[in-house]
Amino acid sequence: MAQTYDRGAVEDVGRWREFSAGMWAWVLHKFTGWVLVGYLFTHIAVLSTAIGADPAAAPQDLYTTTLVGLEDLLVVRLLEVGLLAVAVFHMLNGIRLLFIDLGLGLERQDQSFYASLIITGAIAVASVPTFLAGV
Ligand code: HEM
C-alpha cells in the first residue's frame, strides 16, 4: 500500500523559510538556467544589429553604436558581472549535480553546494575590475 504525505501547497511561497541547502541549490539552478536562456535571446538580438552592416561604415554603423551605447551604461556593466556569476554558478552546480547523478559525493552535498557559491562569489568579485574598466 502506497503511503501518502501532506506536503502542503507549492504555491505557498512563505515556505522558503523551511528550505534546506539542497532546496536553495535547486531554486538557484533553475533560476540561473533560465536566466542563461533569456540572455541567449538578448545576445542574439544585439548581434542581429550587425545584419546588413557595411564594414566600410564602421564605427558609425548600428552594430557598433549599439554596443558602444550599451557598454557606456553602468547598469549594463553590473549586469555583465551578474551574468558571469549566473553562468559560473550554473556550471559549477551543474557539474556537481552530474557527479551526484554518478553517486559521487553523496555525503558531501551541502558542502559542495556551499563551495560552488563561494567559488562563484570569488570569481564574480575578481571580475569587477575587468567589467567596470573605464566606466
Ligand atoms: C558547463 C555548462 C553547463 C552545465 C554543466 C549544466 C548542467 C545542468 C544540469 C546537470 C541540469 C539539470 C539539473 C537537474 O538535475 O535538475 C541543467 C539544467 C538546466 N540548464 Fe544547464 N548546464 C550548463 C549550461 C547551461 C546553459 C549554457 C544554459 C542556457 C543557455 C543552461 C540552461 C539550463 C536550463 C534552462 C535547465 C533546466 C532548469 C530547470 O530545471 O528548469 N545550462 N543544467
Side-chain angles (χ1 to χ4, degrees):
M1 180 90 176
Q3 283 188 306
T4 58
Y5 301 92
D6 178 6
R7 296 189 291 184
V10 73
E11 295 84 1
D12 183 0
V13 288
R15 293 183 63 198
W16 64 268
R17 288 164 212 282
E18 304 162 26
F19 284 7
S20 58
M23 191 63 181
W24 285 114
W26 180 81
V27 169
L28 280 178
H29 200 84
K30 268 195 178 293
F31 174 76
T32 54
W34 289 105
V35 166
L36 288 173
V37 172
Y39 169 70
L40 200 54
F41 283 96
T42 315
H43 186 53
I44 291 167
V46 171
L47 292 185
S48 72
T49 59
I51 292 174
D54 173 9
Q60 277 84 33
D61 66 2
L62 180 62
Y63 176 72
T64 309
T65 52
T66 301
L67 282 183
V68 170
L70 285 171
E71 295 301 329
D72 273 348
L73 299 172
L74 177 63
V75 66
V76 170
R77 303 293 192 99
L78 294 174
L79 283 171
E80 285 171 345
V81 176
L83 177 67
L84 179 77
V86 158
V88 170
F89 175 80
H90 192 89
M91 278 173 60
L92 292 177
N93 196 58
I95 292 166
R96 188 184 76 85
L97 292 173
L98 296 176
F99 274 113
I100 290 167
D101 286 344
L102 294 172
L104 299 168
L106 291 177
E107 328 71 34
R108 294 251 192 282
Q109 294 194 43
D110 287 7
Q111 290 94 326
S112 55
F113 167 56
Y114 296 140
S116 301
L117 284 180
I118 291 166
I119 297 168
T120 298
I123 291 175
V125 169
S127 80
V128 167
T130 304
F131 281 117
L132 270 72
V135 178

